[in-house]
Amino acid sequence: MPEIVESPRIAVYGLGAMGLDIVRILHGRGADIVAGIVRPGSDKDGRSLGELAGVPGLAFPARGDAEQVLRESAPDIVVVTVSTYLDETQYEIFATAVRAGADVITLAEEMLYPFATDNPLARELDALAKRHEVTVTGTGHQDAYWVNLVSVLAGSTHDLGSVTGRLSWNVDDFGRALAEQQRVNATAEEFARWQAHAERPPTFTHYSLYALAAALGLTPQGALRTTTEPVIAERDVRSKALGATVGQGRLLGYTDTDTLETEEGVTLSVSSRGSVYEEHERDFNEWNLTDSSGRPTLHLRDSDLDTAHTTCATLVNRIPDVIAARPGIVTVDKLPQLRFRPVRRAS
Amino acid sequence: MPEIVESPRIAVYGLGAMGLDIVRILHGRGADIVAGIVRPGSDKDGRSLGELAGVPGLAFPARGDAEQVLRESAPDIVVVTVSTYLDETQYEIFATAVRAGADVITLAEEMLYPFATDNPLARELDALAKRHEVTVTGTGHQDAYWVNLVSVLAGSTHDLGSVTGRLSWNVDDFGRALAEQQRVNATAEEFARWQAHAERPPTFTHYSLYALAAALGLTPQGALRTTTEPVIAERDVRSKALGATVGQGRLLGYTDTDTLETEEGVTLSVSSRGSVYEEHERDFNEWNLTDSSGRPTLHLRDSDLDTAHTTCATLVNRIPDVIAARPGIVTVDKLPQLRFRPVRRAS
């Protein structure tokens, strides 16, 4: 495996917490960072990347004129950490990089498997990338923990009836906006009213379940179903994000459960619980497999994860795979096995 | 991914518990089993494969004349489940298949990474396989649980200091011979005396640690070290395999710990505990990763495994990979990601 992670010219588009963590990882690995791109006129526009990321060097400024800076810096690949969904704004960001002849690797959750819905922008982007002979791939925490670890695990059985994931994340890790979105401190009645009228975008696991089906060689049958259940506080719990105490009987958050049936008769599902944690609770991913008669067969649990960190590290480790991949949108189920990329020690 | 698992002509060499489990899995998946090979003159020689495996069909007999049956049946791949180490006898079995122009896939533990020691038979076999343009690969439980799950997990970090595995298996699952080999019911003094003089072959994890280093892109530095510690009964424990009670203070088994340093500064180690279980104990594989400053980062645990089953199923799922691989000995770190192989439902 060539150590190409250290040779490509890399631009980072989006310098929020994730983008800057990726800059720090890349910098620490001696990668060739050639540009940083921010929203024009944002308070980061014009400040040096080194200052923004808190690392020595990288004295060149973050810039808002994406098209021009990509032309000048000629990156091989652009890391995009701007937003979640493949909407018109996100499409234009990807398209700018693609038209500049660069591969794109992104944390945008929809890009993990943009063909999971009939989003026409996915087909357009795929065609555009093929025309420019570059690759576009979405990766992140899901790549390892919701798709490929499960795929390897399932590779150790021959009789698969169901794959069931249970994920848990702490609302308090993500601030007030997400706490409100997760209905923290609502009453059960308020939640029921909200649920009856909410128009919610697809869950993150919606995309990962389609990627998992592809990794397992399974063909989705019918539409993915999502159900949502409130997580009710059994006692008063303090929410850091909300700066308030959630009273007993009120919502700590909710659990989304996505279920996808397949033509091969294997049922895939994931329950993702986003709630304010009590003191003893920790993030985890847990996967349970059964055979076709429903008997439990395989079990895997990873816990105490630093999800933000694994997200960024996974992206960095995927860069050589994306550079080597065929043109078009290439989803993570089509890439080689995710693997650690060692840095050679100077001897 | 082509569904080639159902099309190749497959011979099974070795029809013990593992070989017959593989016959049943292959048969259940509609694979084309063309021959079964046993030791000439064994009590299975001449009995039908269907009868031996307890499945309908497969009316042809298991045979002891390996060379001739391979010539007549012309398999694309030979599954070998005969023994553990690449000694002269095992070499001849592989060579017979290779000379017949067939790929070889085996559960022989040494074949997971036969270059882990300087066994000259590994180089000879590699050259022979290249000459005949066929592939030889060792796989099994280790492929998934000791190498590739860990490799994907490590793919979600960028700063790796150590990888530490803890495995546990129940001596009582494997009968009297292994119980005696694992020194069950010895006193601590007997164990110490045995340990001082025992000439033991390399542990199974010796091979898997080298395969793991290769999967992680790391270069072994210096020799692998093995240490062994007794597992002492804290109370009387009944051993099914021994048909006796192990008294308090005597050995339930022992734990081997293998450690491999790498040029990149990453330490790999595995402790494998083989002991008679108390009632609450279960098999597990547990992996803990730290960063280069020793801080715990990632953790993965799989438990309640049926190791015999995952061993056979992993082999079956690897058949298409081995058929597609380049000639020579190809270790599992070089194969595509292990994955489930669905059977299409007749509609």
Side-chain angles (χ1 to χ4, degrees), chain A residues 42-60:
Chain A
S42 88
D43 60 356
K44 291 173 181 165
D45 192 349
R47 290 169 64 192
S48 91
L49 237 68
E51 183 206 340
L52 290 170
V55 296
L58 301 179
F60 55 85

Side-chain angles (χ1 to χ4, degrees), chain A residues 198-269:
Chain A
E199 287 195 20
R200 297 172 57 202
T203 59
F204 294 175
T205 51
H206 183 118
Y207 303 106
S208 75
L209 272 187
Y210 276 85
L212 180 59
L216 296 173
L218 302 173
T219 312
Q221 185 175 51
L224 178 143
R225 298 189 313 276
T226 303
T227 59
T228 304
E229 296 289 333
V231 178
I232 304 289
E234 291 180 11
R235 61 190 68 79
D236 290 3
V237 179
R238 183 77 192 168
S239 167
K240 197 180 65 183
L242 218 58
T245 294
V246 179
Q248 187 188 348
R250 287 178 168 253
L251 259 75
L252 293 170
Y254 55 78
T255 301
D256 284 320
T257 301
D258 287 327
T259 305
L260 184 62
E261 304 291 346
T262 65
E263 287 181 8
E264 293 79 6
V266 182
T267 303
L268 308 178
S269 83

